[in-house]
Structure formats: C-alpha cells, structure tokens
Amino acid sequence: MSGIQVGSVVLQWPIGRFSDRHDRRLVIFAVSAVATVAAFLIAAFANPPGGAAPQAVLLGLFTLWGSAALSLYAICVAHANDHVTVEETVPLASALLLAWALGAALGPLLATAAMEWFGHDALFVYVGVVSGGLTLFAGLRRLISGPFRSEP
C-alpha cells in the first residue's frame, strides 16, 4: 500500500506537468499502458507457482502502478476541461463526478465477482483489463481524430 501512495505522490505532479505540454490523449494512452503492464506484472509475480517475487520487486511494481493509475483521473479531467467553454465547466464537473461515482461503486463489485470466480489473484488481472480498455480507447481516439490543432 505504501508503494501505491508513494508512486502517486512522487510522480503525479511530473506526469500532470508533462500532460500540460503534450497531447493529453497520448499521455493518457501512455500512462494507462504503464498501469496495465504494471497490473499484469503484479498479478503474475504476486503469487506464482514457484513463490512470490521478492518484496522489493513487488514494491517497485506497486509504486509504478500507483504512479500511473492514480494520475489518470486528473489527466482525463484536464483533457475534458480543455474542450469545453467556461459555461460548460460546471455541467462537465457534475458529469465527471457522476461517472467517477458509478465507477467507484461498480468497480469493486465487479472486482469482487472476478475474485470469487477466479480467486484472489484475479484482482490485478481485472485492474489490468480495465486499464487496458482505457489504453485501447485512448489509442483509438488518437488514431481516429488525429492531433489537435491547438497542440503546442
């Protein structure tokens, strides 16, 4: 747990700063890809048949996952705010908060179901699948619509 929080605290600001200077869709793609890979590596190394990976490896993976996964919401909110007028910011914030709340309510239920069906090791497989979906979505959106004209 400490690795997740440390990763979030240490890298959230630099990742956000980087997203201020580059196409946020590419940053969302890259950061969610890192979260996806880290989640699958955690799932693979946490409880393999030969025994768990050393704690230092798992701490590094959890730190990497925390830095990526916990940065995504802020980058996605910034991306959404880049494309609305001042008058639309309050309705946008309401919609984003509702979407976050639905995810916060449904995500644990789905993760619990996955863990009941496939065992406790399925948690980070589930997390990897969800973040992998975001990775695919962000990559496809970038390919379909191309770069924004307002990019620096």
Side-chain angles (χ1 to χ4, degrees), residues 23-25 28 75-86 88-89 92 147-151:
D23 184 349
R24 289 193 211 276
R25 293 169 304 162
I28 292 167
I75 299 167
C76 292
V77 168
H79 175 63
N81 278 294
D82 288 344
H83 303 287
V84 297
T85 64
V86 173
E88 296 170 318
T89 55
L92 174 65
F148 287 123
R149 292 189 183 107
S150 62
E151 286 182 8

Side-chain angles (χ1 to χ4, degrees), residues 57-77:
V57 171
L58 290 173
L59 179 62
L61 289 172
F62 276 105
T63 303
L64 181 64
W65 181 81
S67 67
L70 298 181
S71 298
L72 281 169
Y73 181 75
I75 299 167
C76 292
V77 168

Side-chain angles (χ1 to χ4, degrees), residues 39-60:
F40 284 131
L41 288 173
I42 289 168
F45 291 141
N47 204 12
Q55 279 192 332
V57 171
L58 290 173
L59 179 62

Side-chain angles (χ1 to χ4, degrees), residues 94-112:
S94 298
L96 290 171
L97 187 57
L98 178 62
W100 175 83
L102 287 172
L106 294 176
L109 293 174
L110 294 172
T112 300

